[in-house]
Amino acid sequence: MSYHDAHILDQYAYQASVVHRLDPRAKIIAILFFVIIVVSFPKYVFISLLPFAIYPLVLAILSGLSFRLLFRQVLIASPFFILVGLFNPFLDRTMIDVPFLGIQVRGGIISFASIALRGFLCVSGAVLLVSTSSFPRLVEALQALHLPKAFTVQLMFLYRYLFLLIEEAKRMSQARLLRSGGFRNSFSSARSMLSVLLIRTLHRAGAIWLAMRARGFQDEIKTARKMKWSFKDFIFLALSIIFCLWLRLIIFEQIKF
Amino acid sequence: MHMADALLSPAVGISFMALSGGALALSAKKLKESAEESKVPLMGVLGAFVFASQMINFTIPGTGSSGHLVGGILLMILLGPYAGFITVSSVLVIQALFFADGGLLALGANIWNMAFYTSFVGWLIYKSIVGKKPSQTRISLAVIIACVVCLELGALSVVGQTILSGISELPFKQFVILMMGIHLPIGLIEGIITVGVLNLVYRIRPGLIQESLGIKGREADALSYRSIAFGFALSAMVIGGGVAWFASSHPDGLEWSIFKSYGEEELPLSGKIKQKLAQVQEKISLLPDYGFKAEESEEAVQELEGESWPNISLGTSVAGILGSIFVLVIAGGIGVSIARLKKKKNAGNS
């Protein structure tokens, strides 16, 4: 996991662009739909999946997200699905005709390529969602989409203390490193550090609770912003759905590969 | 181990989203009923603690690789099953979005694999082992067992979801051996470091863990800063002092290394995969010489999954037989312990 990248993604979320200004609800629904359509293809499909890459790439260009960061996130996510897919070329020996080229290729190779491409598309979707809407806005959207309030409040709290506590742990790690003369962290010292961090965290929870009570916290975090569903959100959602369905239902039926 | 979108079919992904969504709604309801508002900041910071703790790496004794606390178990002990479930789920959402772990559609599956088992199954295990008389030994035992069981359940679910989705060609049996084998040492290490942290906390603040299991009511409104701070922890623990384990959040280094050293080198020949898997199995098997008939083990697999898996090719190779034994031992162990725990739980309720 890359803390550094997470922080950069978070900073991207506060930029301004056409994509950033869209209603986060529209983005959540559109990207989830995109992911579901992508994974709905049969396993021996590769070429029909390629045009789907247009969607995240266009969104990335419009929102100003760096391609490097996008690809790095995909790379970080890839080990599991690559490893699981890696067996396909050796286990699946059915021969499949490749259109356009007129050759036959092992089915496993195609399904492996397909898994890799699916991985890229799905991870890009998630990265774009979080890099074009600030997390608090996403949580507001989830609340508007009727997720339980206890859960959305928890997400909000977690986000607020996430980077703070990570910084604290990093400072502790650095302090240990400076005093250790380059020795790696032993089990017992890690245990002590974690315990100290945990106890500090519990103290912090106490302080936060007092502060919250003093400010009249009920059971939700109130924001002044209102969710507004505008015409451009509708257009974005409609275009996303039409694009996915067009590729899935019309283009795929013609190519079948 | 996070399930990935790329390996899921929409049917499996959406089903697990519905299951996890249901569990989430139930937990939110239970939490609201318990009216423990003071838990709100505690859940938030403890969720953040899980991420922070991953900044502190340590060397795993006896190996060159390094690991870190995953932290789910601590979360469960401090928060109880419902608040714990919500907290672990929120951690998974952040991981899916910011850390590219899992995916949007896979979120339901991941919440099920990690948050559900750790919060509810882990809680049952912890509660029934620790009972009313918590001691360091009992807590340690409970934590380690809960870790291993929940991790293996999570690993089994990942395999089930992958096979049901039908995108990967990995045969069920080999995949199970591989995944469960890999997760066994990870579970043990997670258990040991968690026990380490808990024991130290227990020594510094024995009340945190001790009273959590005995106290029935909520701590009265505290006046001082300190009593409020610990009031949360106590009230958090009233619900159950659950144990769970954030199963496979980040097995990174270890997982890679095991896989690489045994799995990858001779991949190009599919006949050798079985042999390699047999080697992995030999290394990790609990009872390498324990003999069962192949049919029995297959039954155990089917029993565990609740349905028959298509095309399980029970080869006559060494890998096949040893693998079956391994699955039987693990599956039987999990089955028996869950049945016992449920029995105990039912007896306790009535």
Side-chain angles (χ1 to χ4, degrees):
Chain A
M1 94 172 197
S2 169
Y3 158 70
H4 186 64
D5 283 354
H7 200 65
I8 297 175
L9 277 178
D10 189 46
Q11 285 171 340
Y12 267 107
Y14 292 91
Q15 308 284 316
S17 78
V18 193
V19 189
H20 284 82
R21 280 189 289 272
L22 289 169
D23 189 305
R25 283 173 295 183
K27 279 181 271 190
I28 291 175
I29 297 169
I31 290 175
L32 195 60
F33 186 77
F34 169 78
V35 169
I36 290 173
I37 293 291
V38 164
V39 301
S40 75
F41 279 92
K43 63 179 174 184
Y44 298 132
V45 171
F46 183 75
I47 290 174
S48 301
L49 274 169
L50 280 173
F52 277 94
I54 297 170
Y55 188 75
L57 294 181
V58 165
L59 284 183
I61 291 168
L62 286 178
S63 67
L65 178 69
S66 102
F67 281 117
R68 238 182 119 156
L69 181 63
L70 181 63
F71 288 119
R72 199 162 57 218
Q73 287 297 98
V74 174
L75 215 62
I76 291 170
S78 61
F80 180 57
F81 63 78
I82 293 286
L83 280 178
V84 172
L86 205 58
F87 287 96
N88 282 11
F90 311 111
L91 297 171
D92 181 1
R93 290 155 186 268
T94 34
M95 299 306 275
I96 302 283
D97 289 314
V98 180
F100 308 121
L101 296 175
I103 51 165
Q104 281 199 324
V105 175
R106 257 192 204 185
I109 294 176
I110 296 167
S111 59
F112 174 52
S114 182
I115 288 176
L117 186 56
R118 281 161 207 248
F120 166 73
L121 295 171
C122 296
V123 176
S124 313
V127 170
L128 278 159
L129 184 61
V130 77
S131 66
T132 61
S133 353
S134 70
F135 194 74
R137 290 282 283 159
L138 277 181
V139 175
E140 284 168 34
L142 289 177
Q143 196 160 334
L145 292 169
H146 300 292
L147 257 80
K149 208 182 271 173
F151 187 55
T152 52
V153 170
Q154 161 64 13
L155 281 172
M156 208 75 108
F157 265 102
L158 176 54
Y159 172 74
R160 289 185 184 202
Y161 293 99
L162 179 64
F163 295 110
L164 190 77
L165 280 188
I166 287 177
E167 283 299 332
E168 186 163 340
K170 276 176 81 177
R171 277 197 300 276
M172 290 171 73
S173 262
Q174 195 153 33
R176 188 205 66 83
L177 200 69
L178 288 168
R179 289 162 175 77
S180 67
F183 279 100
R184 293 176 76 184
N185 209 359
S186 74
F187 215 72
S188 65
S189 75
R191 189 187 65 170
S192 311
M193 286 167 74
L194 289 168
S195 308
V196 169
L197 186 64
L198 178 65
I199 287 168
R200 271 195 218 165
T201 305
L202 293 173
H203 274 288
R204 192 189 290 273
I208 295 165
W209 178 234
L210 282 180
M212 281 164 55
R213 287 300 291 266
R215 286 163 179 77
F217 174 82
Q218 296 291 305
D219 59 349
E220 62 181 312
I221 297 173
K222 293 195 171 70
T223 46
R225 252 186 325 240
K226 282 251 158 63
M227 285 267 152
K228 237 181 16 212
W229 189 272
S230 65
F231 186 64
K232 64 178 192 313
D233 303 317
F234 173 75
I235 292 290
F236 166 74
L237 188 57
L239 281 180
S240 306
I241 291 175
I242 292 169
F243 174 74
C244 293
L245 287 180
W246 174 64
L247 286 178
R248 179 71 177 89
L249 299 175
I250 296 169
I251 299 295
F252 173 64
E253 287 307 314
Q254 284 172 4
I255 302 177
K256 289 268 179 209
F257 179 73
Chain B
M1 176 74 75
H2 288 75
M3 188 66 195
D5 279 349
L7 301 171
L8 272 180
S9 70
V12 176
I14 292 170
S15 311
F16 276 94
M17 265 195 161
L19 280 173
S20 300
L24 210 54
L26 178 84
S27 299
K29 195 168 155 253
K30 290 274 182 193
L31 200 65
K32 205 177 171 187
E33 281 167 9
S34 70
E36 286 172 311
E37 293 164 308
S38 60
K39 247 188 207 176
V40 171
L42 191 67
M43 285 162 67
V45 288
L46 283 178
F49 169 81
V50 165
F51 286 97
S53 70
Q54 293 173 2
M55 295 289 124
I56 298 172
N57 284 299
F58 54 85
T59 311
I60 295 166
T63 69
S65 84
S66 67
H68 56 71
L69 178 76
V70 183
I73 200 162
L74 280 175
L75 238 77
M76 290 307 148
I77 290 173
L78 295 172
L79 291 170
Y82 301 116
F85 181 71
I86 290 175
T87 309
V88 179
S89 302
S90 71
V91 167
L92 289 166
V93 170
I94 298 269
Q95 284 180 332
L97 291 173
F98 285 105
F99 297 95
D101 276 330
L104 296 176
L105 182 64
L107 205 48
N110 283 323
I111 289 179
W112 189 263
N113 298 350
M114 294 179 233
F116 181 82
Y117 292 135
T118 52
S119 307
F120 298 112
V121 179
W123 173 69
L124 282 181
I125 294 171
Y126 177 74
K127 193 79 179 154
S128 54
I129 293 177
V130 175
K132 290 285 174 207
K133 282 180 268 174
S135 66
Q136 284 207 12
T137 327
R138 279 185 176 211
I139 290 170
S140 308
L141 191 72
V143 165
I144 291 174
I145 291 176
C147 266
V148 173
V149 170
C150 296
L151 182 67
E152 295 290 1
L153 279 175
L156 195 66
S157 284
V158 169
V159 176
Q161 286 151 1
T162 308
I163 301 285
L164 278 175
S165 298
I167 311 283
S168 160
E169 296 294 334
L170 272 177
F172 172 73
K173 195 156 55 64
Q174 276 84 346
F175 197 14
V176 162
I177 298 165
L178 186 74
M179 284 290 285
M180 295 186 94
I182 287 169
H183 283 84
L184 192 63
I186 296 175
L188 285 172
I189 289 161
E190 170 69 6
I192 291 166
I193 186 77
T194 307
V195 165
V197 173
L198 272 176
N199 276 345
L200 214 63
V201 173
Y202 187 79
R203 257 181 278 161
I204 301 169
R205 302 257 187 269
L208 272 180
I209 295 154
Q210 216 168 24
E211 293 167 40
S212 69
L213 293 146
I215 285 179
K216 285 275 174 243
R218 195 184 153 193
E219 279 286 279
D221 277 347
L223 295 169
S224 74
Y225 159 77
R226 184 184 261 195
S227 50
I228 284 194
F230 291 105
F232 303 163
L234 291 172
S235 56
M237 288 181 283
V238 167
I239 286 197
V243 171
W245 174 47
F246 207 84
S248 31
S249 162
H250 286 93
D252 39 42
L254 185 67
E255 183 181 321
W256 256 108
S257 58
I258 291 180
F259 196 89
K260 267 196 166 168
S261 49
Y262 298 119
E264 212 182 350
E265 225 176 86
E266 293 190 48
L267 268 180
L269 298 169
S270 70
K272 288 200 174 175
I273 290 173
K274 283 182 179 174
Q275 293 169 19
K276 283 284 150 191
L277 286 167
Q279 283 179 18
V280 177
Q281 198 276 332
E282 272 168 358
K283 297 265 188 235
I284 47 108
S285 173
L286 291 169
L287 300 161
D289 297 316
Y290 210 65
F292 278 104
K293 284 179 188 167
E295 294 86 21
E296 273 181 75
S297 61
E298 202 170 9
E299 269 169 30
V301 171
Q302 289 176 356
E303 220 170 84
L304 199 71
E305 287 297 300
E307 59 178 285
S308 67
W309 290 94
N311 300 326
I312 297 174
S313 60
L314 259 183
T316 48
S317 64
V318 182
I321 296 162
L322 287 182
S324 307
I325 295 166
F326 185 83
V327 173
L328 181 64
V329 170
I330 296 266
I334 294 169
V336 167
S337 52
I338 289 173
R340 270 195 196 160
L341 294 173
K342 276 190 178 159
K343 223 183 202 174
K344 250 188 186 174
K345 180 103 208 300
N346 289 340
N349 285 344
S350 59

